Each structure stands twice: as C-alpha cells, then as structure tokens.
Amino acid sequence: MCGIFCCVSKCSSTDFGEAVLEGCKHLLNNRGPDYAGSIIYDNRILMYGSILWQQGSETTRQPMQSDRFVLLFNGDLFIDRGNTNASDTQWLFDRITSAVFDIASLADVFKELKGPFSLILLDKSLRRIYFARDSLGRNSLLLGQFEEGFIITSVLGRNTSIGVVEIPPNGIYYADLDGTDIELNLFPWKHTNNHEIDSLSITDDLIYLPWMTKDVIPVNAFSFHHVLKTQTSEETDTFDYLLNHSCIADLCDRLLNVLTESVRERVVNTPNHCKACMASKQSCEHPRVGILFSGGIDCTILALLANSFVPAHIPICLLNVAFEKIIRPGNPEYKKRMANSTDIDWDVPDRITGHNSWKELQLLKPNREWTFVEINVTRKELQNYKNRISDLVFPLKSVLDESLGAALWFASRGKGLVNNSEYNSLCRVMLLGSGADELFGGYSRHRAAFYRSIVKAIQPSEESILTGFNNLMTELELDWDRLPSRNLARDDRIIGDHGVTPRTPYLQEDFISIVRSLNADQRCYHPLGEGIGDKLTLRLCAYKLGLRQSCKLRKRALQFGSRIADRKQNANDSSSFLSS
C-alpha cells in the first residue's frame, strides 16, 4: 500500500501542485510510512510517492525512474515473478522498461497483472503521462482538474477548491504533454456504456482491451431448485443432501481450492514484522494479519483458511467493531445515558455473532491463538475523528459512505479490548470479505429481485420460479457492474490511513471467473430462507470446512451489525456528518 500523487501543469511551474501536496501530504504519508520521495520533471510535473513496504526483501523507493520512465505504483501484484527478492513494484517497472513502446504494449503488460493496483506512469520520450486503476477499482485514484492542469492522487481531503472525482476504472487514461492544451484520453479495458467518463472530458479511442476473459472450465450443470425438488422431509440435513450430489461437492472443492490460494497469496506476501518492529526489521511474534470480523460466513471462512498460512506461534487478530447506540432526545433511555455515559451496551449484533464464530474457530483450531479485539466506539469518539474520516471518504459523501467509512476506520485502527484489557493491533494487513455478497447473492435486494414475480403461494409455478431466477441474475450482474464505483476505493482510502493494507481474497481474478460463470440458481436459493438460501454455495463451502454453526448465520450489513447506522436514514442521502 502506498500513497501516490502527481500534478501536471500547463505552465512551467509546480507551485500549485506543491501547495496541494502540502495540504494532503499527511494523508499520503499515513498510507506509506516507510519511505517518501519526489521528483520534478520539466518544471511542470510534480510526482510524489509514500511507501508501505509489503513485498520484496527490501523497500522499493518511489518514484522509480529510468532514462525514459517514471513510475508511481500503489498495489499488490500476486503473480509468479521468479525472483522473490524483487518487489512487485520493481518487477512491474522492469516489465515496463523492457516491453513498453506505446499504449498498446503498455496494455499488453497490464493484461499480465493479477491483483489490485493504481499507478501513474510518465513516459519522458513520448512526453505522455498514463494513469490507471485495475478493472475492479480496488485501489483509490482521484482526479482533480483545474484551469492550469490536473492532479492525480490516492487521497486528497476536503480542503480543496478544485473539482475532484474518483477515476472510473475503465482503462488506461493518458494525456500528451506537448502544446498548451492537455486533453485526457482513454484506452478502455472493454467496451462500456459507462457515462462517468463524460464528466472527465475524456476522448475515447474506441480500441477495446479484453479484460478477465480467459476461458473457464465449465461447471457441471445443476440447479439448486431441481436438486431440492427431489428432497423428502425424511431425508438428511439440507447441506448434507446437497453435498451428496457430486456436481455440487465438486464445485465447492474447486471454489475452496482457488479461494485458499487467494488467501495464501494475501497472507504470506508481507514482511515478518509488525508495525512496532518494522523499524528494527527484526522478526517478531506479534500479529501481522488481521481480519475484519463480524462473525458472518464471509470473514469466518477467511479466518479459517488464513490459519493454514500464518505461523502457528503468531496470533491472528479478529477485529470486531461496535458503536454506541444512537439515542435521541425523547427516548426514555436518553436521560439515563446523559447521566452515565459509561453505561453502554456493546452487545451489538456483530459482537454476538463474532463471539459465537470465534468460539467455533477455537474448537476447530484449538492450537491457534485467535485474538478477538473488541473495538468499542462512543459517539463522542466518533465525533472527535469526524474531520479525519470525512477527508478520507471525500469526494464521496452519502450516509452509507459515512457509516461504512467510520466502521472501517475504527476497525483498521485496531484499538480496543482483549479480555477486558487495552489492546492496540499491530497488524499491517487486513483481510476483508468484500465481494462475497455481490458474487453469491447475499443482499436483501437479491432476495427481493427473486421474489418480484413470484406470487406468494405454497407451490409457485415453475415459470414464475424461472422468471425469479432471471430477475435475480439481472440484479447480480447490475451489482457486479457497479461494484467498482460503490465502495472499494473508499475502503482503500479509509483502511490505508493506518498504514494497513486491505486485501480482499474473494476479489481474486480466478475466483471471480468461476463464480461469474455460474447461473443464479447455482449460487443461491432464497426459498430456503435467510441464513441458508442466500449465498448458499458459499455456505456449503463453509460446511465442508467444518463451520457447522457459522454457515447458517444470517447476513447483516456492517453498518447495522456494528450499530453505527440509523435505520431511519436513507443510505443514499447526503451525510450531514461528512458535510459539516
């Protein structure tokens, strides 16, 4: 994880860029506490990078520079690089310097990449600057345009007079530096009708680069609906019944194999030092990997799989966040709370499920030290950090951004209680279950889409069920298409503020390809009810791993499970908390 910044000016001066950088440098340095460097090119381009060392035997300093190229890279590449001593940044720079001659050859290099990234690349020979995010938009990159040029940065903060947007992850953006006008152009990953680029005044080259289109071994045909129609009331547990069908069991094995490799990549690719021991570079026995842990099925699977790759003597942190309940004047509890602010019930839904799933992990892996961190946030403490969180969420500002941004900020800070004693997490990596709900149909809107055309009846018609699955598939595709613009970049800005790298195993390219090749009725089956039918295939994977309790827990959104959100608010409304 790194902080990258570049200002391109039309005139021969970097004064404006230096002023903007000064205002956001603390945010960039929070993301990259291990090194920071900058260069000025042609007296009009300012490039700055701050580094959080995660891959390679030594810190790779940025900006990286050769006679022709200057690179700023923020990402995690999980590919076979041959030389394990070289960082992913060094490997990418070597590939660029040896293989890139124009934008088409740069696109060919990008086709090799697996993992989240955002980058800025200056080609001094062609006098052109490129910038891009991976097609899922997992890492943040913002664009600010002003009369005399533009700024590209990981994070900026609210204290700016220029218009700022999250750069849509649609392809490789570039601008030629000759002449007085600087026009932004786009070399797309794929053809898209995404109108977000219109606001950036982008010229589309209409040359499309296929992305994540490699062939996927087909899944044996099955449908949960047809399989379950033959189940009788006397037969065994539904999960056992489904897994007795070889095509379903084989699919779960295949998904678990790929997901296990994804977790391995994201656990082992970090130095053997926690935050506190990084300066001395001595191996330590402090936790280095944490998991955002609500106790739900997504994160509990990740915790169990991570156990195989974290050394046995190193604890794994389970980071569980809870917020003080909102009590408004007029509520009978309001006066009592005002009189005694310490009388707070921290048993929010995610705390309860977290404890239950923690116990199941302890039973399955009793030799592992699972450090369950209770992160309790009062409304006063939330207010104290309002400005900092708002700067990170910017340029987003909805109620949902407020709720999730705050929950992730306090969770990744890792300050809480362990066995009623104060504790500060020293982890440098945090695993998140992002993407699982979008892939496997875990949201209530997926259930609503399925039932939209189904009459409430004891025996719905086969035609209405087929229509329900078609509606569900449309909703799943819609959710997937808007995933990059909804939360991933925001989460990257929030979590990176603590010098922590967010890693999302469910958003690994091979795993995504398999799941997206499945029909809706091979991912979930809502007639089985909440806690079973939603994300059914993922729950079956958990059942095979031995998570017999966690696999049947109902889905709760983080903002409600942690109790930060007020259900009376509309998630899409502008947040007064972020705006004030």
Side-chain angles (χ1 to χ4, degrees):
M1 183 59 57
C2 303
I4 59 178
F5 175 97
C6 177
C7 179
V8 178
S9 176
K10 296 178 182 179
C11 60
S12 296
S13 172
T14 59
D15 289 350
F16 184 80
E18 290 174 10
V20 175
L21 175 60
E22 193 61 32
C24 67
K25 186 180 287 187
H26 64 293
L27 298 174
L28 293 164
N29 290 346
N30 288 344
R31 295 175 58 84
D34 298 328
Y35 176 81
S38 64
I39 68 164
I40 293 175
Y41 173 73
D42 200 24
N43 203 35
R44 55 185 294 214
I45 298 174
L46 170 64
M47 302 180 76
Y48 178 88
S50 60
I51 312 304
L52 176 66
W53 172 37
Q54 289 287 23
Q55 297 199 39
S57 59
E58 296 290 340
T59 303
T60 300
R61 297 184 174 189
Q62 296 194 47
M64 297 197 73
Q65 184 171 195
S66 68
D67 290 342
R68 178 173 176 180
F69 294 105
V70 183
L71 174 68
L72 288 169
F73 177 74
N74 168 37
D76 266 326
L77 298 183
F78 301 112
I79 50 180
D80 183 7
R81 302 194 296 271
N83 180 9
T84 57
N85 289 325
S87 69
D88 50 351
T89 308
Q90 182 66 59
W91 177 90
L92 178 60
F93 191 63
D94 291 343
R95 290 287 295 122
I96 289 172
T97 55
S98 63
V100 171
F101 309 100
D102 53 24
I103 192 166
S105 54
L106 179 61
D108 288 338
V109 171
F110 283 179
K111 288 168 67 175
E112 303 175 37
L113 306 185
K114 288 173 60 178
F117 68 84
S118 59
L119 60 79
I120 304 167
L121 178 69
L122 171 64
D123 185 334
K124 292 180 282 188
S125 177
L126 293 181
R127 294 187 59 78
R128 174 179 285 182
I129 194 157
Y130 304 95
F131 54 98
R133 300 165 64 198
D134 72 83
S135 66
L136 296 178
R138 288 168 285 190
N139 281 5
S140 173
L141 201 60
L142 307 178
L143 175 68
Q145 294 177 290
F146 57 100
E147 186 175 348
E148 295 301 322
F150 61 89
I151 285 170
I152 315 157
T153 182
S154 301
V155 61
L156 187 59
R158 298 172 300 160
N159 188 25
T160 179
S161 59
I162 61 177
V164 180
V165 296
E166 287 186 343
I167 296 172
N170 293 337
I172 305 171
Y173 297 85
Y174 65 96
D176 291 315
L177 303 176
D178 288 327
T180 56
D181 292 328
I182 302 178
E183 185 178 73
L184 295 180
N185 304 278
L186 172 65
F187 189 103
W189 300 137
K190 60 183 180 180
H191 179 65
T192 176
N193 293 321
N194 191 329
H195 298 296
E196 289 177 297
I197 63 174
D198 294 345
S199 64
L200 306 183
S201 302
I202 295 295
T203 300
D204 192 330
D205 272 358
L206 300 178
I207 304 172
Y208 300 108
L209 172 68
W211 194 254
M212 292 205 310
T213 56
K214 68 177 186 178
D215 293 334
V216 177
I217 300 173
V219 174
N220 291 330
F222 76 90
S223 161
F224 283 132
H225 177 63
H226 293 140
V227 171
L228 289 168
K229 278 200 306 183
T230 62
Q231 183 185 21
T232 65
S233 58
E234 293 81 17
E235 287 182 296
T236 185
D237 179 273
T238 297
F239 282 20
D240 287 323
Y241 177 78
L242 289 170
L243 289 170
N244 281 334
H245 288 73
S246 60
C247 54
I248 297 176
D250 290 346
L251 171 61
C252 290
D253 287 338
R254 187 175 168 194
L255 288 170
L256 283 172
N257 286 338
V258 177
L259 183 61
T260 299
E261 175 60 17
S262 178
V263 170
R264 185 198 69 80
E265 293 170 334
R266 286 154 177 78
V267 168
V268 303
N269 280 292
T270 190
N272 295 324
H273 323 293
C274 69
K275 289 181 182 178
C277 300
M278 178 56 66
S280 64
K281 294 187 178 180
Q282 294 183 350
S283 294
C284 66
E285 297 185 0
H286 302 129
R288 299 188 286 271
V289 174
I291 299 166
L292 179 64
F293 195 76
S294 66
I297 188 62
D298 311 339
C299 60
T300 308
I301 287 176
L302 297 183
L304 188 56
L305 294 179
N307 174 74
S308 299
F309 307 111
V310 175
H313 63 287
I314 304 292
I316 295 176
C317 275
L318 307 177
L319 302 162
N320 182 277
V321 63
F323 287 82
E324 179 183 1
K325 183 179 179 181
I326 299 173
I327 301 178
R328 302 186 184 283
N331 187 309
E333 297 181 40
Y334 183 76
K335 289 184 178 179
K336 181 180 178 182
R337 173 66 54 80
M338 293 299 101
N340 186 3
S341 60
T342 62
D343 185 20
I344 299 173
D345 177 13
W346 296 112
D347 282 337
V348 302
D350 279 1
R351 180 62 48 80
I352 295 169
T353 57
H355 276 136
N356 291 336
S357 295
W358 175 36
K359 291 175 183 177
E360 188 166 27
L361 289 171
Q362 289 174 314
L363 288 172
L364 289 172
K365 302 296 178 183
N367 294 326
R368 164 70 62 193
E369 182 179 342
W370 301 97
T371 303
F372 190 89
V373 186
E374 298 183 349
I375 300 167
N376 301 326
V377 186
T378 65
R379 292 288 155 180
K380 181 179 179 180
E381 186 174 22
L382 176 61
Q383 188 66 28
N384 289 342
Y385 288 100
K386 179 186 74 169
N387 289 335
R388 185 167 173 179
I389 294 170
S390 300
D391 280 339
L392 298 166
V393 171
F394 179 82
L396 306 181
K397 54 183 178 182
S398 74
V399 168
L400 183 63
D401 295 317
E402 164 203 324
S403 301
L404 292 177
L408 287 171
W409 191 86
F410 283 101
S412 54
R413 185 180 68 162
K415 182 179 180 180
L417 299 174
V418 172
N419 298 325
N420 292 319
S421 297
E422 291 186 1
Y423 181 88
N424 285 302
S425 170
L426 299 174
C427 296
R428 302 176 75 247
V429 169
M430 188 162 101
L431 302 182
L432 297 94
S434 304
D437 288 309
E438 288 82 359
L439 287 168
F440 290 99
Y443 290 120
S444 59
R445 58 179 172 271
H446 297 141
R447 184 170 62 253
F450 175 76
Y451 282 112
R452 192 177 300 137
S453 61
I454 296 179
V455 178
K456 294 286 185 179
I458 297 176
Q459 290 292 338
S461 69
E462 290 295 309
E463 182 180 0
S464 66
I465 289 175
L466 178 61
T467 302
F469 278 121
N470 288 337
N471 291 340
L472 173 57
M473 195 66 187
T474 299
E475 189 68 28
L476 287 169
E477 289 299 308
L478 179 62
D479 247 6
W480 185 254
D481 288 342
R482 62 192 177 195
L483 175 68
S485 63
R486 289 178 67 89
N487 57 7
L488 298 176
R490 177 202 64 214
D491 297 351
D492 172 71
R493 291 193 296 276
I494 288 287
I495 296 169
D497 190 54
H498 299 293
V500 174
T501 298
R503 289 178 171 170
T504 51
Y506 292 107
L507 294 176
Q508 193 253 28
E509 289 80 357
D510 296 329
F511 188 80
I512 291 167
S513 296
I514 297 173
V515 179
R516 295 201 66 220
S517 73
L518 302 175
N519 296 324
D521 59 359
Q522 296 173 315
R523 307 189 205 185
C524 50
Y525 190 63
H526 291 101
L528 288 178
E530 295 180 62
I532 297 180
D534 54 306
K535 297 190 286 192
L536 177 56
T537 298
L538 190 61
R539 294 180 186 278
L540 289 168
C541 291
Y543 191 83
K544 283 184 71 86
L545 290 172
L547 293 168
R548 301 303 169 89
Q549 302 301 317
S550 304
C551 72
K552 297 180 181 179
L553 291 174
R554 289 179 58 184
K555 156 74 182 176
R556 285 191 183 91
L558 174 61
Q559 65 269 32
F560 299 124
S562 64
R563 205 167 54 188
I564 184 173
D566 184 346
R567 289 183 179 272
K568 295 180 180 180
Q569 291 180 296
N570 186 322
N572 295 319
D573 286 349
S574 181
S575 167
S576 58
F577 175 85
L578 296 176
S579 302
S580 60

